[in-house]
Amino acid sequence: MRRLSVKTSMRFAIGPALLASTMLAGVPALAQGSGGIEEVVVTAQKRSEDLQKVPMQVQAITAQKLEDLHLRDFTDFALYMPNVTYAVSGQGSNGGPGFSNITMRGIASDQNGNHSGPVPTVGVYFDEAPITTINGTLDIPAYDIARVEALSGPQGTLYGASAESGVIRIISNKPNTDEFEASYDVDINSVAHGGIGYGAHGMVNIPISDNVALRVVAWDEHDAGYIDNVFGTRTYNFDDGTSMTIDNAGRTKNNYNTVNKLGGRAALEIDLNDNWTITPTIMGQTENSDGVFGYDPSVGDLKVQHYLPEYVHDKWYQAGLTIQGKIANLDFTYAGSYMDRKVHSSADYADYTFWYDQSYPSYVNFYDNAGGRIDPTQHILGNDHFTKESHEVRLASSKDDRFRFQIGGFYEKQTHFILQDYVIPGLADPGTGQPTMHVTGWPDTLWLTDEYRTDKDWAGFGEVSYDILPNLTVTGGIRFYGYDNSLKGFYGFNSYETSRCFAPTSVDNGPCTDLNSSAKGSGETHKVNVTWNVSDTKLLYATYSTGFRPGGANRVYDPITGKVLPAYQPDSLDNYEIGWKTSWYDNTLQFNGAFYYEDWKNFQFPFLGPNSVTIVGNAKGGATVKGFEYEVTWLPIDGLTLSSNGAYNEADLDGPYCRDQSVVCTNAVANSPSGTQLPITPKWKINGTARYQWLLGGDYHAHVQGSVLHSSGTWSDLRLFERSLLGHNKPYTMFDFTTGIDKDNWSLELYIKNAFDERAQLGRYAECTPGTCGYEPYILASQPRTIGLTWSQKF
């Protein structure tokens, strides 16, 4: 299938330690000169369409905007997408890249991205392939990317279970059979209070023949650290009146949280004939991060006091195959992919040990085989193995037909082998008669999580559109789905082997099986849309759409019933939306927006229960979101571009939430009363930019740019008591500045991100469960001021 070449500048300035602040994104590409705002083609509805003709809120960050705004990965995108927020669970991880749990339009209940928690409410795709794992989204550099699309609101009809509140799509540049292309960039930057970052990216497109082309992209990045692990001590006071003091003298380090990333991807396009094309792809990456990305305010700004090794080694690959062709007059698409991800990690768990000691001195009474007291400090060794397989087939009629349709089928299976080993060196062997002994077959292991999780989803879907009048269209869609999710294995202490086990072996090398839980279900989700093209430049639409998230298995043992807690149930989202897409004054001004009301029913809420084990319940009262979003782009004079976008979300509980779902839940006894603001999402998130471009000396193109981002404050937990301990994430405002020149095939750019070194608070977490033991919160902050220089060239 021969395709016209769309050449995009590859002058990316995506340095390895870029950006914790914002300018503006999601605006259309801007024409040079007075020709107006250029058309942006998106595939949000799985058809190629002009962004201004798509009757939904789609924020498209084009290749040019990725370059202009120095966006390198999802963390950067989120700052420029007003309706997108994310949380990174610090418990059991280092809070770093690759574990973001994404939310849109305020549909968030908690930041606990535990391996036994719910699937995300937002799906992330790289081209046609889903890249969201059970624990978070792959961290993929944004080099040689055509655009990033953010689809607000439920997308369950075309995208399924992990699209309850929206979808983010990263669209790569495709192989080009018409001509040879190549590009590269190199970047160096300095982070305030931290170290030096650097990186290099490259791309080559090779036409092998008239109908075959290969495109290869590679990257090597080093992100500078900016959090220091400083000297500290911990004193444990035992119940016999003795004590023990430890220190971290051998592990102090400045700029503790560095990241090294090495990877690449390749796509081979083969045009079999004028109608059929196959495109196999492969991409992979190794990412090693050290330290932690949250700081402890009780120790100091950008400082922690940790005692044991901390790192995450994340290695993955994803292979894919896309087949596109014609069957009679219908467009056929098959998209399949397989992902394999392995994560090896180590996390300091000294906070947990210390705070349990403060509340329960007997908890830290650990001995060796001879009865000698040992250091009770714990650390977690993790080995996670994810796989994800997906297949989708769809048929579509011509988008130019008065009556048009899409139908398709989808299947996905994801697995997660979970191994978390809570280690206390020297812990007594089983059979020695000591009060606490290690798990059988696992020396030094106080607690073992050895589980296997499987999530299966399948669906059939269809969407039809009919032009009642040339300028009036009605669209309806429906998706029938089913799911089968399970969790089995062993979790617990040595004592669980005799008190809870019901089978002799576990999924791997655990001592036995004490968990075998599952959840199955089916249902449908639907959509109705009416679109009125008032004129060629103005569109109004109204949409009613629904989204869903499947239920899943709990793993917490109830000592009263002697059984694992029941499975948590599906939740659903009803979305009522009216919106507009408009262009004015010869397309030099675009103003798009929407008002929406969303009703989130029976939403899933994960929280840490006894022994900091995740429990998932359903909030029977539900929640509602009332909001609006807007996007404005204006070219007032030649060379000057002004743009802004923003969102307001009033996301609150409809009824009281009670952790104990056996009680009659009223505001008087609730963990969160009616009207409580949902966590993670700010009420206001707004950004804007001004960019001026001009000719310098006749041969050089120069530019200057200034941007601002503001976010109101957020909470990191739904429950009021936990909020009082964690604290409130304060509002923040950040500024970025950029200047540069380019000539012919090269460019040079100087940038300052987070220019005034704002310490934006993006989230909070703690290791120990409030109410069970003490609390020591950590703040996940934006990267400090970063000054960098990028050289890039294309051929």
Side-chain angles (χ1 to χ4, degrees):
M1 184 187 304
R2 198 58 55 85
R3 188 170 46 234
L4 292 177
S5 172
V6 180
K7 296 188 65 178
T8 305
S9 171
M10 295 300 148
R11 300 167 301 165
F12 285 96
I14 309 176
L18 289 180
L19 144 67
S21 62
T22 183
M23 305 172 191
L24 167 77
V27 299
L30 305 176
Q32 302 295 317
S34 58
I37 301 169
E38 292 181 359
E39 177 183 286
V40 175
V41 176
V42 298
T43 52
Q45 298 188 112
K46 300 194 175 182
R47 302 174 183 268
S48 295
E49 300 171 286
D50 179 359
L51 175 64
Q52 290 298 104
K53 300 298 183 182
V54 177
M56 68 169 69
Q57 286 305 301
V58 180
Q59 188 179 355
I61 308 178
T62 64
Q64 187 64 52
K65 296 306 295 184
L66 290 169
E67 176 185 347
D68 293 347
L69 299 173
H70 299 268
L71 305 184
R72 63 163 189 165
D73 55 27
F74 172 75
T75 303
D76 298 339
F77 303 157
L79 290 169
Y80 292 83
M81 295 175 170
N83 243 326
V84 175
T85 53
Y86 71 96
V88 180
S89 175
Q91 200 262 344
S93 75
N94 66 356
F99 298 94
S100 298
N101 289 287
I102 304 164
T103 64
M104 296 180 74
R105 285 189 173 176
I107 303 302
S109 59
D110 191 35
Q111 64 179 356
N112 183 358
N114 188 274
H115 50 73
S116 59
V119 297
T121 63
V122 172
V124 182
Y125 286 72
F126 190 90
D127 291 326
E128 293 278 357
I131 59 170
T132 304
T133 63
I134 295 169
N135 257 60
T137 302
L138 296 181
D139 180 34
I140 301 177
Y143 188 74
D144 195 40
I145 296 300
R147 64 188 178 276
V148 179
E149 300 175 4
L151 288 59
S152 296
Q155 307 296 324
T157 302
L158 293 180
Y159 291 94
S162 288
E164 185 177 33
S165 65
V167 167
I168 294 174
R169 306 179 71 234
I170 303 170
I171 310 299
S172 66
N173 288 311
K174 302 302 186 287
N176 177 12
T177 59
D178 292 339
E179 60 183 336
F180 174 85
E181 296 174 280
S183 66
Y184 74 91
D185 72 33
V186 291
D187 179 276
I188 187 167
N189 55 75
S190 176
V191 179
H193 320 286
I196 301 297
Y198 48 85
H201 310 80
M203 179 279 296
V204 61
N205 180 88
I206 304 171
I208 299 173
S209 67
D210 288 344
N211 65 324
V212 180
L214 174 68
R215 195 177 193 97
V216 179
V217 180
W219 56 86
D220 186 358
E221 299 179 356
H222 170 78
D223 292 0
Y226 49 86
I227 290 178
D228 299 337
N229 189 26
V230 300
F231 180 78
T233 62
R234 291 283 203 198
T235 298
Y236 301 113
N237 297 303
F238 304 115
D239 56 0
D240 62 1
T242 63
S243 64
M244 178 186 295
T245 298
I246 64 167
D247 64 49
N248 64 349
R251 300 200 176 275
T252 58
K253 184 179 181 180
N254 291 335
N255 309 328
Y256 191 42
N257 59 321
T258 57
V259 180
N260 290 285
K261 188 186 305 181
L262 179 67
R265 67 177 192 267
L268 180 68
E269 181 175 297
I270 305 171
D271 295 333
L272 301 177
N273 54 41
D274 289 341
N275 290 327
W276 288 88
T277 297
I278 62 173
T279 309
T281 61
I282 184 75
M283 64 176 174
Q285 179 175 278
T286 297
E287 183 172 51
N288 297 323
S289 58
D290 293 320
V292 291
F293 290 77
Y295 71 91
D296 185 344
S298 68
V299 176
D301 182 38
L302 301 178
K303 290 178 171 52
V304 296
Q305 289 178 342
H306 283 190
Y307 299 81
L308 293 169
E310 294 180 296
Y311 57 81
V312 174
H313 298 162
D314 187 357
K315 185 177 182 179
W316 56 265
Y317 74 87
Q318 184 177 60
L321 177 65
T322 302
I323 303 174
Q324 296 172 297
K326 284 279 190 181
I327 299 178
N329 293 322
L330 301 179
D331 294 322
F332 170 87
T333 301
Y334 164 78
S337 66
Y338 178 80
M339 176 204 301
D340 190 287
R341 181 185 190 187
K342 295 179 180 178
V343 180
H344 176 59
S345 62
S346 179
D348 179 277
Y349 217 39
D351 288 4
Y352 185 91
T353 310
F354 175 78
W355 287 108
Y356 252 98
D357 172 54
Q358 300 301 299
S359 301
Y360 310 102
S362 62
Y363 174 81
V364 292
N365 288 331
F366 300 124
Y367 304 92
D368 59 22
N369 288 342
R373 190 181 292 279
I374 60 175
D375 180 355
T377 308
Q378 299 179 42
H379 69 283
I380 307 171
L381 294 177
N383 281 288
D384 295 86
H385 186 190
F386 304 86
T387 67
K388 185 164 189 157
E389 174 188 359
S390 68
H391 304 272
E392 180 170 293
V393 178
R394 61 182 185 268
L395 286 171
S397 62
S398 172
K399 65 180 180 180
D400 298 322
D401 292 345
R402 183 177 184 182
F403 175 82
R404 50 199 176 273
F405 66 88
Q406 292 190 68
I407 58 172
F410 176 80
Y411 173 80
E412 179 179 86
K413 178 183 178 181
Q414 26 182 354
T415 67
H416 183 189
F417 168 64
I418 308 153
L419 184 64
Q420 289 193 333
D421 185 2
Y422 292 68
V423 175
I424 299 178
L427 192 61
D429 295 334
T432 58
Q434 301 303 329
T436 303
M437 298 169 286
H438 70 69
V439 174
T440 300
W442 292 81
D444 301 333
T445 297
L446 173 66
W447 174 286
L448 179 67
T449 299
D450 176 38
E451 299 168 352
Y452 191 75
R453 174 172 174 171
T454 303
D455 288 33
K456 297 179 183 178
D457 301 274
W458 55 91
F461 59 89
E463 188 169 281
V464 298
S465 296
Y466 180 70
D467 296 334
I468 300 172
L469 298 172
N471 64 344
L472 184 64
T473 302
V474 61
T475 299
I478 193 166
R479 187 182 190 97
F480 297 97
Y481 65 86
Y483 64 88
D484 184 354
N485 302 333
S486 63
L487 183 64
K488 60 183 179 179
F490 175 84
Y491 78 104
F493 299 107
N494 169 277
S495 59
Y496 287 16
E497 297 174 31
T498 56
S499 64
R500 298 188 184 179
C501 287
F502 53 82
T505 58
S506 185
V507 294
D508 183 48
N509 295 312
C512 59
T513 297
D514 65 357
L515 171 65
N516 190 357
S517 184
S518 63
K520 300 180 181 181
S522 61
E524 62 83 20
T525 186
H526 49 272
K527 164 187 171 180
V528 178
N529 170 272
V530 177
T531 302
W532 178 28
N533 288 283
V534 181
S535 69
D536 289 341
T537 59
K538 295 172 181 61
L539 174 152
L540 300 175
Y541 71 87
T543 298
Y544 166 64
S545 58
T546 65
F548 73 97
R549 183 166 52 161
N554 265 309
R555 63 173 178 142
V556 173
Y557 181 86
D558 186 343
I560 298 175
T561 64
K563 298 178 181 179
V564 172
L565 291 174
Y568 54 92
Q569 300 303 305
D571 58 19
S572 63
L573 183 68
D574 289 348
N575 174 63
Y576 306 86
E577 179 175 339
I578 56 173
W580 62 92
K581 301 280 185 77
T582 63
S583 301
W584 307 79
Y585 310 118
D586 295 325
N587 201 32
T588 59
L589 173 66
Q590 287 185 355
F591 176 43
N592 302 334
F595 292 93
Y596 47 86
Y597 174 86
E598 299 190 330
D599 185 7
W600 195 15
K601 300 174 182 177
N602 206 38
F603 69 80
Q604 298 164 7
F605 177 64
F607 58 91
L608 296 180
N611 303 118
S612 288
V613 175
T614 296
I615 299 172
V616 185
N618 292 87
K620 298 176 182 178
T624 56
V625 181
K626 306 177 189 71
F628 67 86
E629 54 189 300
Y630 75 89
E631 182 177 20
V632 179
T633 306
W634 184 30
L635 311 181
I637 60 173
D638 189 20
L640 177 63
T641 303
L642 303 176
S643 47
S644 175
N645 62 2
Y648 172 81
N649 288 289
E650 185 178 330
D652 302 320
L653 284 181
D654 261 1
Y657 168 73
C658 292
R659 170 178 166 178
D660 184 355
Q661 298 190 16
S662 66
V663 304
V664 176
C665 192
T666 65
N667 284 334
V669 299
N671 298 87
S672 308
S674 301
T676 299
Q677 180 184 346
L678 296 183
I680 301 172
T681 301
K683 283 196 172 183
W684 286 99
K685 190 178 177 186
I686 303 172
N687 54 47
T689 191
R691 182 180 179 90
Y692 185 67
Q693 303 174 119
W694 72 97
L695 283 174
L696 183 66
D699 295 327
Y700 294 88
H701 295 272
H703 66 266
V704 293
Q705 181 174 272
S707 304
V708 58
L709 178 146
H710 173 77
S711 174
S712 59
T714 63
W715 296 99
S716 292
D717 202 291
L718 179 65
R719 299 160 295 174
L720 299 191
F721 176 66
E722 283 73 8
R723 286 183 176 184
S724 69
L725 298 173
L726 271 178
H728 187 248
N729 299 310
K730 298 178 181 179
Y732 60 85
T733 302
M734 297 191 291
F735 295 86
D736 299 341
F737 301 101
T738 303
T739 186
I741 59 171
D742 60 83
K743 181 178 184 294
D744 299 329
N745 71 335
W746 62 264
S747 69
L748 181 67
E749 189 156 72
L750 173 69
Y751 59 88
I752 305 176
K753 311 301 296 178
N754 193 6
F756 301 109
D757 201 23
E758 176 80 359
R759 199 72 69 244
Q761 299 178 2
L762 306 178
R764 294 173 181 240
Y765 68 92
E767 291 179 2
C768 206
T769 310
T772 303
C773 60
Y775 220 50
E776 186 169 355
Y778 290 77
I779 297 174
L780 293 162
S782 60
Q783 184 166 294
R785 179 179 58 248
T786 301
I787 302 175
L789 189 67
T790 301
W791 165 270
S792 56
Q793 198 168 12
K794 60 176 182 176
F795 306 94

